Amino acid sequence: MVTLAEVAQHAGVSASTVSYVLSGKRSISTTTRQRVEESIRKLGYHPNAGARALASSRSNIIALMIPLRTDMYVPVMMEIAIAVAAGARTHGYDILLLTGEEGPDAVRRVTGSGLADAMILMDVELDDERLPLLRDTHQPSVLIGLPADTEGLTCVDLDFRATGALCVEHLAQLGHRDIAVIGEAAAVYERHTGFAERTLDGLRTRARELGLRLLHRPCEGGYDAMSATLARVFDERPDTTGFVVQNESAVEPLLALLRQQGRAVPEDVSVVAVCPEQVATQASVRLTSVAVPAQEMGRRAVEQLVAKLDGRGSDEVVLLAPELTVRASSGPAPVRP
Amino acid sequence: MVTLAEVAQHAGVSASTVSYVLSGKRSISTTTRQRVEESIRKLGYHPNAGARALASSRSNIIALMIPLRTDMYVPVMMEIAIAVAAGARTHGYDILLLTGEEGPDAVRRVTGSGLADAMILMDVELDDERLPLLRDTHQPSVLIGLPADTEGLTCVDLDFRATGALCVEHLAQLGHRDIAVIGEAAAVYERHTGFAERTLDGLRTRARELGLRLLHRPCEGGYDAMSATLARVFDERPDTTGFVVQNESAVEPLLALLRQQGRAVPEDVSVVAVCPEQVATQASVRLTSVAVPAQEMGRRAVEQLVAKLDGRGSDEVVLLAPELTVRASSGPAPVRP
DNA sequence: CTGAAAGCGCTAACAA
DNA sequence: TTGTTAGCGCTTTCAG
């Protein structure tokens, strides 16, 4: 293994000079810099991560905590995680992957050992058990998702309340008066997951303001669950012409069942989805949708965190504005006889 | 920050004693052990990861490399990654997440810096550019997936050849004589992706042995592509009664189109899928399928790697036996008039 | 602009 | 069964 000392010797300079060439923390004459860089290349030197961490009390590692809930839509999580990893690298950080298994202990372990300099938490619940720990520790952190109380925390999320409002507005403009919301599995609401409740709040508030009737039904994924849910919806509200879906695994079943019942989309019924772009464009009907900007969320989370690590940085809630893309699944409400 | 020295002082023992209590590398009298453990708890001591890594040249971190190919099915990747992370923790390791961005350089960086003790590579291509590097380095590693040349490498994968054979056997037992295989997109075969070719090989070999007729057609995802493919299949082999699908995004279109053509599943036509459990159970017909055992693959990969790190361990190709689950999409071949 | 040297906190011989 | 001690490789004052 090549050490910094060996590089120094090879280049005929002191160890500290090599160190400073690497960190750029003080000015170096062009000639020595070149000699050092050449030695580094020639010897194939790689600074030792452990030694660096020990001497500088900085690991250059960001912990990313992904609680594994089976009822969450995985691809979005993955997309965010990948964006976080890529973003972190551009700032010189690596990502340590923590799954939910350990729960809050993982926070203690990582902060206590100096394994990571900071952490990003995904899939935050409204009253998340990891939050008290975060507030206590001095560990810089960013949440992806919004808890109930954001005091003293930095959060990045899609503005789901605005998302809900946007969906309702779109349908209202098209003349729909009775709207059904096909939501996430009931467990998601029972857990008081932030995004689900906030979307619902946005939907309800705007519907009330616009004088629309809104029916919300949680729904598991798959055909059977969707079939039952759909039956109930039309049973309770036969005049329903607008649907808002926020559940990736219910999208295709919904479309298939509507088709099967002879309800044409968008002629008889309009559908607006809150889902990843890919799901919206690859569905059997191209869906009017509000996309979850996974990449953007990952990128922004890293930026916030790096800002904190660099001393500029503030506790701030970053809500990304939703964008609704009109595709083939929404159209004017049918004229009622 | 609490250090080992402080714990030692508090407990009235030497630093090495505390170290040995922690590592268990030499026997300690029960009384001192208890005193030390108490001090650790009281002071809230956490060993410093950097110092440990430096002194022991062991980071207790495993790098997990996930190249992000857009045509791979993401949920399975994620499931494996999570299983890897969980498995690693049970052996005292953390996971460093590397995405494809950096390419082979990431391998160099991680091995060179001692950031990780070993690595797991996912989504391996038949002729992967990272393999030469791995063979050179002394870094222990395990591949998830099978490259063309496994010489000197440890690999974990589903036995796709056996998977193909299993699907054919199931349909043969039910009396089907004409089988159509709906495969991945043509590009996947052109790239000579290992799993696709191996599955096909298994299908063909067993079909020949059992005297069945087998027709293989690659197929893009989506309804249009599936519609064209299906038309060709029944055109060339009107007596086809058994289908094997290995393409998540073709599953639902296939079922929908068969239904549309008035071919009942499983009364007229049987379908066997090679896909994740979730896709099989949430499809419009619950699918008889061979699942990709993501959890098991992650777990096994970690086990192989830890074995190597502990000095017991061998270069070995671990092929997991496929399991076929019978559900509602397969049944006896219709009696021909 | 460069060097010398004191640690960072822990592990693992070597001694007892 | 326990203690002493010499590093591990790097960063960062303090001097020049």
Side-chain angles (χ1 to χ4, degrees), chain B residues 59-88:
Chain B
S59 65
N60 279 291
I61 289 181
I62 292 172
L64 176 67
M65 216 171 151
I66 314 186
L68 18 52
R69 295 246 193 53
T70 47
D71 56 0
M72 293 309 295
Y73 191 65
V74 180
V76 177
M77 293 277 152
M78 187 71 168
E79 206 180 334
I80 296 177
I82 298 222
V84 165

PDB file of all heavy atoms in Angstrom, chain B residues 59-88:
ATOM      1  N   SER B  59     -12.412  -1.880   7.586  1.00  0.00           N
ATOM      2  CA  SER B  59     -13.423  -0.833   7.738  1.00  0.00           C
ATOM      3  C   SER B  59     -14.773  -1.397   8.161  1.00  0.00           C
ATOM      4  O   SER B  59     -15.663  -0.669   8.578  1.00  0.00           O
ATOM      5  CB  SER B  59     -13.595  -0.093   6.418  1.00  0.00           C
ATOM      6  OG  SER B  59     -14.114  -0.967   5.431  1.00  0.00           O
ATOM      7  N   ASN B  60     -14.927  -2.691   8.011  1.00  0.00           N
ATOM      8  CA  ASN B  60     -16.228  -3.313   8.264  1.00  0.00           C
ATOM      9  C   ASN B  60     -17.315  -2.731   7.380  1.00  0.00           C
ATOM     10  O   ASN B  60     -18.456  -2.561   7.802  1.00  0.00           O
ATOM     11  CB  ASN B  60     -16.621  -3.182   9.735  1.00  0.00           C
ATOM     12  CG  ASN B  60     -15.947  -4.246  10.579  1.00  0.00           C
ATOM     13  OD1 ASN B  60     -16.271  -5.418  10.471  1.00  0.00           O
ATOM     14  ND2 ASN B  60     -14.971  -3.832  11.360  1.00  0.00           N
ATOM     15  N   ILE B  61     -16.898  -2.421   6.181  1.00  0.00           N
ATOM     16  CA  ILE B  61     -17.856  -1.909   5.196  1.00  0.00           C
ATOM     17  C   ILE B  61     -17.740  -2.733   3.923  1.00  0.00           C
ATOM     18  O   ILE B  61     -16.640  -3.073   3.494  1.00  0.00           O
ATOM     19  CB  ILE B  61     -17.558  -0.426   4.885  1.00  0.00           C
ATOM     20  CG1 ILE B  61     -17.936   0.435   6.095  1.00  0.00           C
ATOM     21  CG2 ILE B  61     -18.299   0.035   3.656  1.00  0.00           C
ATOM     22  CD1 ILE B  61     -17.712   1.913   5.889  1.00  0.00           C
ATOM     23  N   ILE B  62     -18.894  -3.062   3.365  1.00  0.00           N
ATOM     24  CA  ILE B  62     -18.946  -3.765   2.086  1.00  0.00           C
ATOM     25  C   ILE B  62     -19.526  -2.815   1.054  1.00  0.00           C
ATOM     26  O   ILE B  62     -20.559  -2.192   1.301  1.00  0.00           O
ATOM     27  CB  ILE B  62     -19.844  -5.021   2.182  1.00  0.00           C
ATOM     28  CG1 ILE B  62     -19.184  -6.062   3.099  1.00  0.00           C
ATOM     29  CG2 ILE B  62     -20.111  -5.603   0.808  1.00  0.00           C
ATOM     30  CD1 ILE B  62     -20.086  -7.248   3.401  1.00  0.00           C
ATOM     31  N   ALA B  63     -18.852  -2.670  -0.065  1.00  0.00           N
ATOM     32  CA  ALA B  63     -19.377  -1.808  -1.123  1.00  0.00           C
ATOM     33  C   ALA B  63     -20.354  -2.599  -1.986  1.00  0.00           C
ATOM     34  O   ALA B  63     -20.107  -3.754  -2.317  1.00  0.00           O
ATOM     35  CB  ALA B  63     -18.240  -1.281  -1.974  1.00  0.00           C
ATOM     36  N   LEU B  64     -21.464  -1.982  -2.288  1.00  0.00           N
ATOM     37  CA  LEU B  64     -22.465  -2.621  -3.156  1.00  0.00           C
ATOM     38  C   LEU B  64     -22.612  -1.764  -4.399  1.00  0.00           C
ATOM     39  O   LEU B  64     -22.999  -0.595  -4.328  1.00  0.00           O
ATOM     40  CB  LEU B  64     -23.799  -2.714  -2.427  1.00  0.00           C
ATOM     41  CG  LEU B  64     -24.961  -3.272  -3.242  1.00  0.00           C
ATOM     42  CD1 LEU B  64     -24.737  -4.738  -3.576  1.00  0.00           C
ATOM     43  CD2 LEU B  64     -26.271  -3.108  -2.482  1.00  0.00           C
ATOM     44  N   MET B  65     -22.314  -2.340  -5.543  1.00  0.00           N
ATOM     45  CA  MET B  65     -22.316  -1.563  -6.773  1.00  0.00           C
ATOM     46  C   MET B  65     -23.539  -1.906  -7.607  1.00  0.00           C
ATOM     47  O   MET B  65     -23.722  -3.055  -8.010  1.00  0.00           O
ATOM     48  CB  MET B  65     -21.050  -1.900  -7.553  1.00  0.00           C
ATOM     49  CG  MET B  65     -20.499  -0.703  -8.259  1.00  0.00           C
ATOM     50  SD  MET B  65     -18.887  -1.080  -8.938  1.00  0.00           S
ATOM     51  CE  MET B  65     -18.920   0.039 -10.310  1.00  0.00           C
ATOM     52  N   ILE B  66     -24.358  -0.916  -7.873  1.00  0.00           N
ATOM     53  CA  ILE B  66     -25.568  -1.123  -8.669  1.00  0.00           C
ATOM     54  C   ILE B  66     -25.524  -0.258  -9.916  1.00  0.00           C
ATOM     55  O   ILE B  66     -25.847   0.919  -9.856  1.00  0.00           O
ATOM     56  CB  ILE B  66     -26.827  -0.719  -7.881  1.00  0.00           C
ATOM     57  CG1 ILE B  66     -26.772  -1.291  -6.471  1.00  0.00           C
ATOM     58  CG2 ILE B  66     -28.066  -1.155  -8.596  1.00  0.00           C
ATOM     59  CD1 ILE B  66     -28.036  -1.071  -5.687  1.00  0.00           C
ATOM     60  N   PRO B  67     -25.137  -0.798 -11.045  1.00  0.00           N
ATOM     61  CA  PRO B  67     -25.176   0.004 -12.269  1.00  0.00           C
ATOM     62  C   PRO B  67     -26.645   0.224 -12.607  1.00  0.00           C
ATOM     63  O   PRO B  67     -27.444  -0.703 -12.501  1.00  0.00           O
ATOM     64  CB  PRO B  67     -24.531  -0.900 -13.322  1.00  0.00           C
ATOM     65  CG  PRO B  67     -23.982  -2.079 -12.589  1.00  0.00           C
ATOM     66  CD  PRO B  67     -24.749  -2.188 -11.315  1.00  0.00           C
ATOM     67  N   LEU B  68     -26.965   1.427 -12.984  1.00  0.00           N
ATOM     68  CA  LEU B  68     -28.390   1.684 -13.245  1.00  0.00           C
ATOM     69  C   LEU B  68     -28.683   1.585 -14.722  1.00  0.00           C
ATOM     70  O   LEU B  68     -28.482   2.519 -15.464  1.00  0.00           O
ATOM     71  CB  LEU B  68     -28.803   3.074 -12.730  1.00  0.00           C
ATOM     72  CG  LEU B  68     -27.740   4.125 -12.433  1.00  0.00           C
ATOM     73  CD1 LEU B  68     -26.796   4.345 -13.591  1.00  0.00           C
ATOM     74  CD2 LEU B  68     -28.382   5.390 -11.966  1.00  0.00           C
ATOM     75  N   ARG B  69     -29.126   0.435 -15.121  1.00  0.00           N
ATOM     76  CA  ARG B  69     -29.563   0.273 -16.506  1.00  0.00           C
ATOM     77  C   ARG B  69     -31.044   0.488 -16.554  1.00  0.00           C
ATOM     78  O   ARG B  69     -31.789  -0.060 -15.753  1.00  0.00           O
ATOM     79  CB  ARG B  69     -29.281  -1.145 -16.981  1.00  0.00           C
ATOM     80  CG  ARG B  69     -27.852  -1.426 -17.020  1.00  0.00           C
ATOM     81  CD  ARG B  69     -27.319  -1.646 -18.403  1.00  0.00           C
ATOM     82  NE  ARG B  69     -25.987  -2.203 -18.260  1.00  0.00           N
ATOM     83  CZ  ARG B  69     -25.769  -3.291 -17.504  1.00  0.00           C
ATOM     84  NH1 ARG B  69     -26.768  -3.925 -16.935  1.00  0.00           N
ATOM     85  NH2 ARG B  69     -24.559  -3.744 -17.364  1.00  0.00           N
ATOM     86  N   THR B  70     -31.474   1.268 -17.522  1.00  0.00           N
ATOM     87  CA  THR B  70     -32.890   1.618 -17.530  1.00  0.00           C
ATOM     88  C   THR B  70     -33.769   0.442 -17.920  1.00  0.00           C
ATOM     89  O   THR B  70     -34.944   0.417 -17.591  1.00  0.00           O
ATOM     90  CB  THR B  70     -33.151   2.781 -18.505  1.00  0.00           C
ATOM     91  OG1 THR B  70     -32.478   2.489 -19.732  1.00  0.00           O
ATOM     92  CG2 THR B  70     -32.611   4.076 -17.940  1.00  0.00           C
ATOM     93  N   ASP B  71     -33.194  -0.549 -18.626  1.00  0.00           N
ATOM     94  CA  ASP B  71     -34.063  -1.647 -19.042  1.00  0.00           C
ATOM     95  C   ASP B  71     -34.083  -2.800 -18.041  1.00  0.00           C
ATOM     96  O   ASP B  71     -34.643  -3.842 -18.308  1.00  0.00           O
ATOM     97  CB  ASP B  71     -33.694  -2.143 -20.449  1.00  0.00           C
ATOM     98  CG  ASP B  71     -32.224  -2.559 -20.519  1.00  0.00           C
ATOM     99  OD1 ASP B  71     -31.539  -2.443 -19.486  1.00  0.00           O
ATOM    100  OD2 ASP B  71     -31.783  -2.981 -21.586  1.00  0.00           O
ATOM    101  N   MET B  72     -33.479  -2.593 -16.889  1.00  0.00           N
ATOM    102  CA  MET B  72     -33.586  -3.636 -15.882  1.00  0.00           C
ATOM    103  C   MET B  72     -34.809  -3.354 -15.005  1.00  0.00           C
ATOM    104  O   MET B  72     -35.216  -2.227 -14.841  1.00  0.00           O
ATOM    105  CB  MET B  72     -32.326  -3.674 -15.017  1.00  0.00           C
ATOM    106  CG  MET B  72     -31.088  -4.108 -15.778  1.00  0.00           C
ATOM    107  SD  MET B  72     -31.355  -5.641 -16.697  1.00  0.00           S
ATOM    108  CE  MET B  72     -31.621  -6.772 -15.326  1.00  0.00           C
ATOM    109  N   TYR B  73     -35.310  -4.419 -14.448  1.00  0.00           N
ATOM    110  CA  TYR B  73     -36.492  -4.269 -13.624  1.00  0.00           C
ATOM    111  C   TYR B  73     -36.079  -3.836 -12.219  1.00  0.00           C
ATOM    112  O   TYR B  73     -35.470  -4.590 -11.461  1.00  0.00           O
ATOM    113  CB  TYR B  73     -37.249  -5.589 -13.590  1.00  0.00           C
ATOM    114  CG  TYR B  73     -38.619  -5.467 -12.981  1.00  0.00           C
ATOM    115  CD1 TYR B  73     -39.600  -4.705 -13.604  1.00  0.00           C
ATOM    116  CD2 TYR B  73     -38.927  -6.108 -11.804  1.00  0.00           C
ATOM    117  CE1 TYR B  73     -40.854  -4.593 -13.056  1.00  0.00           C
ATOM    118  CE2 TYR B  73     -40.188  -6.005 -11.250  1.00  0.00           C
ATOM    119  CZ  TYR B  73     -41.139  -5.244 -11.880  1.00  0.00           C
ATOM    120  OH  TYR B  73     -42.387  -5.124 -11.333  1.00  0.00           O
ATOM    121  N   VAL B  74     -36.399  -2.621 -11.877  1.00  0.00           N
ATOM    122  CA  VAL B  74     -35.865  -1.980 -10.680  1.00  0.00           C
ATOM    123  C   VAL B  74     -36.265  -2.631  -9.344  1.00  0.00           C
ATOM    124  O   VAL B  74     -35.425  -2.806  -8.466  1.00  0.00           O
ATOM    125  CB  VAL B  74     -36.241  -0.492 -10.657  1.00  0.00           C
ATOM    126  CG1 VAL B  74     -35.685   0.172  -9.428  1.00  0.00           C
ATOM    127  CG2 VAL B  74     -35.696   0.189 -11.905  1.00  0.00           C
ATOM    128  N   PRO B  75     -37.532  -2.956  -9.156  1.00  0.00           N
ATOM    129  CA  PRO B  75     -37.920  -3.476  -7.842  1.00  0.00           C
ATOM    130  C   PRO B  75     -37.092  -4.668  -7.396  1.00  0.00           C
ATOM    131  O   PRO B  75     -36.764  -4.797  -6.218  1.00  0.00           O
ATOM    132  CB  PRO B  75     -39.384  -3.863  -8.040  1.00  0.00           C
ATOM    133  CG  PRO B  75     -39.861  -2.953  -9.112  1.00  0.00           C
ATOM    134  CD  PRO B  75     -38.696  -2.798 -10.046  1.00  0.00           C
ATOM    135  N   VAL B  76     -36.746  -5.532  -8.314  1.00  0.00           N
ATOM    136  CA  VAL B  76     -35.955  -6.697  -7.932  1.00  0.00           C
ATOM    137  C   VAL B  76     -34.581  -6.262  -7.441  1.00  0.00           C
ATOM    138  O   VAL B  76     -34.081  -6.734  -6.432  1.00  0.00           O
ATOM    139  CB  VAL B  76     -35.807  -7.661  -9.130  1.00  0.00           C
ATOM    140  CG1 VAL B  76     -34.927  -8.833  -8.729  1.00  0.00           C
ATOM    141  CG2 VAL B  76     -37.157  -8.158  -9.575  1.00  0.00           C
ATOM    142  N   MET B  77     -33.980  -5.325  -8.156  1.00  0.00           N
ATOM    143  CA  MET B  77     -32.684  -4.777  -7.750  1.00  0.00           C
ATOM    144  C   MET B  77     -32.753  -4.263  -6.316  1.00  0.00           C
ATOM    145  O   MET B  77     -31.900  -4.544  -5.489  1.00  0.00           O
ATOM    146  CB  MET B  77     -32.323  -3.573  -8.637  1.00  0.00           C
ATOM    147  CG  MET B  77     -32.056  -3.927 -10.055  1.00  0.00           C
ATOM    148  SD  MET B  77     -30.358  -4.495 -10.188  1.00  0.00           S
ATOM    149  CE  MET B  77     -30.536  -5.572 -11.572  1.00  0.00           C
ATOM    150  N   MET B  78     -33.792  -3.492  -6.080  1.00  0.00           N
ATOM    151  CA  MET B  78     -33.958  -2.871  -4.771  1.00  0.00           C
ATOM    152  C   MET B  78     -34.117  -3.927  -3.697  1.00  0.00           C
ATOM    153  O   MET B  78     -33.542  -3.813  -2.619  1.00  0.00           O
ATOM    154  CB  MET B  78     -35.197  -1.980  -4.811  1.00  0.00           C
ATOM    155  CG  MET B  78     -35.384  -1.150  -3.581  1.00  0.00           C
ATOM    156  SD  MET B  78     -34.155   0.172  -3.486  1.00  0.00           S
ATOM    157  CE  MET B  78     -34.868   1.144  -2.170  1.00  0.00           C
ATOM    158  N   GLU B  79     -34.887  -4.937  -4.007  1.00  0.00           N
ATOM    159  CA  GLU B  79     -35.126  -5.994  -3.030  1.00  0.00           C
ATOM    160  C   GLU B  79     -33.808  -6.693  -2.690  1.00  0.00           C
ATOM    161  O   GLU B  79     -33.527  -6.985  -1.522  1.00  0.00           O
ATOM    162  CB  GLU B  79     -36.132  -6.995  -3.605  1.00  0.00           C
ATOM    163  CG  GLU B  79     -36.913  -7.737  -2.536  1.00  0.00           C
ATOM    164  CD  GLU B  79     -37.900  -8.703  -3.138  1.00  0.00           C
ATOM    165  OE1 GLU B  79     -38.333  -8.463  -4.290  1.00  0.00           O
ATOM    166  OE2 GLU B  79     -38.214  -9.707  -2.475  1.00  0.00           O
ATOM    167  N   ILE B  80     -33.011  -6.935  -3.704  1.00  0.00           N
ATOM    168  CA  ILE B  80     -31.710  -7.557  -3.464  1.00  0.00           C
ATOM    169  C   ILE B  80     -30.842  -6.634  -2.607  1.00  0.00           C
ATOM    170  O   ILE B  80     -30.231  -7.062  -1.625  1.00  0.00           O
ATOM    171  CB  ILE B  80     -30.993  -7.849  -4.798  1.00  0.00           C
ATOM    172  CG1 ILE B  80     -31.784  -8.881  -5.604  1.00  0.00           C
ATOM    173  CG2 ILE B  80     -29.574  -8.346  -4.544  1.00  0.00           C
ATOM    174  CD1 ILE B  80     -31.201  -9.173  -6.969  1.00  0.00           C
ATOM    175  N   ALA B  81     -30.824  -5.369  -2.980  1.00  0.00           N
ATOM    176  CA  ALA B  81     -29.988  -4.410  -2.247  1.00  0.00           C
ATOM    177  C   ALA B  81     -30.365  -4.378  -0.776  1.00  0.00           C
ATOM    178  O   ALA B  81     -29.503  -4.383   0.110  1.00  0.00           O
ATOM    179  CB  ALA B  81     -30.126  -3.024  -2.860  1.00  0.00           C
ATOM    180  N   ILE B  82     -31.646  -4.391  -0.512  1.00  0.00           N
ATOM    181  CA  ILE B  82     -32.099  -4.331   0.872  1.00  0.00           C
ATOM    182  C   ILE B  82     -31.725  -5.605   1.622  1.00  0.00           C
ATOM    183  O   ILE B  82     -31.308  -5.562   2.780  1.00  0.00           O
ATOM    184  CB  ILE B  82     -33.622  -4.081   0.907  1.00  0.00           C
ATOM    185  CG1 ILE B  82     -33.883  -2.740   0.242  1.00  0.00           C
ATOM    186  CG2 ILE B  82     -34.162  -4.189   2.317  1.00  0.00           C
ATOM    187  CD1 ILE B  82     -34.857  -1.852   0.867  1.00  0.00           C
ATOM    188  N   ALA B  83     -31.861  -6.723   0.935  1.00  0.00           N
ATOM    189  CA  ALA B  83     -31.481  -7.986   1.559  1.00  0.00           C
ATOM    190  C   ALA B  83     -29.985  -8.002   1.847  1.00  0.00           C
ATOM    191  O   ALA B  83     -29.536  -8.485   2.893  1.00  0.00           O
ATOM    192  CB  ALA B  83     -31.859  -9.154   0.664  1.00  0.00           C
ATOM    193  N   VAL B  84     -29.218  -7.457   0.940  1.00  0.00           N
ATOM    194  CA  VAL B  84     -27.769  -7.379   1.140  1.00  0.00           C
ATOM    195  C   VAL B  84     -27.462  -6.531   2.376  1.00  0.00           C
ATOM    196  O   VAL B  84     -26.669  -6.922   3.235  1.00  0.00           O
ATOM    197  CB  VAL B  84     -27.062  -6.774  -0.092  1.00  0.00           C
ATOM    198  CG1 VAL B  84     -25.645  -6.363   0.246  1.00  0.00           C
ATOM    199  CG2 VAL B  84     -27.057  -7.769  -1.240  1.00  0.00           C
ATOM    200  N   ALA B  85     -28.110  -5.389   2.458  1.00  0.00           N
ATOM    201  CA  ALA B  85     -27.857  -4.485   3.581  1.00  0.00           C
ATOM    202  C   ALA B  85     -28.209  -5.162   4.906  1.00  0.00           C
ATOM    203  O   ALA B  85     -27.438  -5.120   5.870  1.00  0.00           O
ATOM    204  CB  ALA B  85     -28.648  -3.198   3.412  1.00  0.00           C
ATOM    205  N   ALA B  86     -29.363  -5.794   4.936  1.00  0.00           N
ATOM    206  CA  ALA B  86     -29.794  -6.452   6.170  1.00  0.00           C
ATOM    207  C   ALA B  86     -28.844  -7.594   6.527  1.00  0.00           C
ATOM    208  O   ALA B  86     -28.404  -7.717   7.676  1.00  0.00           O
ATOM    209  CB  ALA B  86     -31.222  -6.970   6.008  1.00  0.00           C
ATOM    210  N   GLY B  87     -28.506  -8.396   5.528  1.00  0.00           N
ATOM    211  CA  GLY B  87     -27.600  -9.516   5.768  1.00  0.00           C
ATOM    212  C   GLY B  87     -26.247  -9.032   6.267  1.00  0.00           C
ATOM    213  O   GLY B  87     -25.665  -9.607   7.190  1.00  0.00           O
ATOM    214  N   ALA B  88     -25.761  -7.982   5.664  1.00  0.00           N
ATOM    215  CA  ALA B  88     -24.455  -7.452   6.046  1.00  0.00           C
ATOM    216  C   ALA B  88     -24.459  -7.034   7.518  1.00  0.00           C
ATOM    217  O   ALA B  88     -23.526  -7.321   8.261  1.00  0.00           O
ATOM    218  CB  ALA B  88     -24.097  -6.267   5.154  1.00  0.00           C
TER     219      ALA B  88
END
